[in-house]
């Protein structure tokens, strides 16, 4: 089984193989205790009897990669009523002593004593005392000057009033009385007969109103890139994919052709990866041939595709 997605050290491989055998025994014991056969789980899990038998025997070489093996293992364990998370955790080796986190100190440990601050020299204390006294004297002097200025500011003079005169004592004069007393003025203000002159009205200049600006339509949002897109080069090629809905598809691509997937597939096999352009959510990634048999094939799972696009 290809180890391009996990730790490839000898110790990790040995632990993975041993854990796979132990997990397979638990799966077989669980299935037989429930009186079930492998054929009963083929259709619900969309797999073959050969792969289910490989799960129970711990033969991981049958599967394309660890991601596919662990995915089928989780679904089979759930079908048998087992906790898939516990089985998957047992496949990972325990961290070594060097990787283990350091123990934290106990909560009730008293904090380290802090050194007491050194006392100031005598001459610094005298300087600070003199500075404080000078500041206090300055503040008092400013306050005294403000009080003297406030007391010396002149007050506004009262309004003079004439005694004996009230608003009622003021004689009221009417236009009629004034005209009778002064006939000269009456003759002066008497209007002469004649048509009244009408002033000419000058039309006001009107300012043309600027037309309202035409609203500019907002640009249409760019279409969202598909989860995965394959573009063939000049030569024809083919691909094999297990989609997100667990459906298997194998098709050929002509030179310059492309295919897109809206959801990230579970597993992907590409023939001639050097001649195929792969885009993950709009970002181009490069796949390399990693087939164990030496064929020019690239085998990669969903997690590895997501990691390549980051």
């Amino acid at each position: 089984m290809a180890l391009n997605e996990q730790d490839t050290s000898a110790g990790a491989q040995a632990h993975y193989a041993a854990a796979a055998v132990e997990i397979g025994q638990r799966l077989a014991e669980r299935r037989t205790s429930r009186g079930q056969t492998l054929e009963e789980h083929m259709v619900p899990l969309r797999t073959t009897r050969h792969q289910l038998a490989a799960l129970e025997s711990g033969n991981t070489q049958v599967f394309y990669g660890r991601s596919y093996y662990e995915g089928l293992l989780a679904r089979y364990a759930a079908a048998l009523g087992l906790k898939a998370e516990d089985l998957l955790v047992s496949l990972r080796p325990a961290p070594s002593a060097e990787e283990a986190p350091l123990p934290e100190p106990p909560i009730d440990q008293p904090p380290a004593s802090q050194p007491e601050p050194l006392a100031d020299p005598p001459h610094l204390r005298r300087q600070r005392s003199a500075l404080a006294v000078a500041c206090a004297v300055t503040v008092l002097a400013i306050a005294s000057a403000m009080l003297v200025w406030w007391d010396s500011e002149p007050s506004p003079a009262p309004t003079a009033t004439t005694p004996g005169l009230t608003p009622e004592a003021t004689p009221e004069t009417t236009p009629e009385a004034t005209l009778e007393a002064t006939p000269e003025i009456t003759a002066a203000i008497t209007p002469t007969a004649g048509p009244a002159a009408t002033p000419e009205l000058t039309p006001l200049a009107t300012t043309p109103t600027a037309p309202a600006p035409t609203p500019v339509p907002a640009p249409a949002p760019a279409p969202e890139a598909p989860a995965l897109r394959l573009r063939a080069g000049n030569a024809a090629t083919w691909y094999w994919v297990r989609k997100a809905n667990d459906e298997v598809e194998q098709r050929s691509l002509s030179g310059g052709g492309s295919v897109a997937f809206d959801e990230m597939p579970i597993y992907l096999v590409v023939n001639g990866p050097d001649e195929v352009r792969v885009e993950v959510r709009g970002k181009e990634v490069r796949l390399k041939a990693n087939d164990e048999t030496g064929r020019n094939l690239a085998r990669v799972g969903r997690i590895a595709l997501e990691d390549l696009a980051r």
Side-chain angles (χ1 to χ4, degrees), residues 78-100:
L80 294 176
L82 298 175
K83 290 186 177 180
E85 294 81 2
D86 298 342
L87 300 181
L88 295 177
V89 169
S90 64
L91 293 172
R92 307 290 183 263
S96 59
E98 298 178 355
E99 300 177 354

Side-chain angles (χ1 to χ4, degrees), residues 7 16-17 22 30 36 49 74-75 116 122 160 170 175 220 234 255-256 282 288:
D7 189 3
Y16 199 93
E22 183 179 353
R30 181 74 173 191
Q36 298 175 348
R49 187 183 189 281
R75 288 184 285 130
E116 297 182 358
T170 303
N234 297 329
K288 297 181 180 180

Side-chain angles (χ1 to χ4, degrees), residues 229-239 251-259 270-279:
R229 185 189 300 276
L230 304 178
R231 297 181 185 270
N234 297 329
T237 183
W238 59 267
Y239 68 91
R251 294 185 181 180
S252 59
L253 278 178
S254 59
S258 66
V259 63
V270 179
N271 179 41
D274 295 337
E275 301 296 332
V276 179
R277 179 180 175 184
V278 182
E279 297 178 4

